[in-house]
Amino acid sequence: MSGETPKAQEAQEPGPANGQAEEEARLAPFGNIRKGIFIVPSLITSASFFCGFYSMIASIQGDYYTAAWVILLAAFFDGLDGRIARATNSTTHFGVEFDSLSDLISFGAAPAI
């Protein structure tokens, strides 16, 4: 036995709480980035939503060629937003519902016009 008290021995032993503190200290500079990463998939979904909306405007103005290409661009953004959300582990209930609304506009209403 060494002459240390039991509390001093506990402080030196690596435990789950001690390892968690080290992990938090290591990731501290990236805290703001991690918080902001949740918005990236929603921004890409917004781009898909905008493409669908612009496609409807182009169709109403008679520019069907542009409208068709913008719908294809919306399909690209739609595939990208889900992959980024899963890759960054930032899926939210809002994101799922927002993606569904974007799909309705881009692939339901826009081609119908």
Side-chain angles (χ1 to χ4, degrees), residues 7-106:
K7 288 191 178 195
Q9 288 175 352
E10 287 177 14
Q12 292 176 355
E13 294 177 6
N18 206 7
Q20 184 179 7
E22 289 175 5
E23 182 71 15
E24 288 175 6
R26 186 179 68 84
L27 295 176
F30 301 107
N32 291 334
I33 293 171
R34 184 71 186 142
K35 289 178 186 175
I37 202 74
F38 284 98
I39 199 167
V40 173
S42 292
L43 288 175
I44 295 173
T45 301
S46 297
S48 176
F49 189 89
F50 174 76
C51 288
F53 188 74
Y54 183 74
S55 174
M56 290 191 292
I57 292 172
S59 294
I60 290 169
Q61 293 178 346
D63 190 6
Y64 302 112
Y65 185 78
T66 301
W69 278 109
V70 174
I71 289 174
L72 291 176
L73 186 61
F76 171 74
F77 284 132
D78 184 49
L80 191 64
D81 69 349
R83 287 186 181 147
I84 289 177
R86 285 186 295 276
T88 59
N89 197 22
S90 60
T91 56
T92 62
H93 184 67
F94 171 78
V96 170
E97 296 299 326
F98 188 44
D99 187 53
S100 295
L101 178 64
S102 176
D103 291 347
L104 177 71
I105 296 298
S106 298

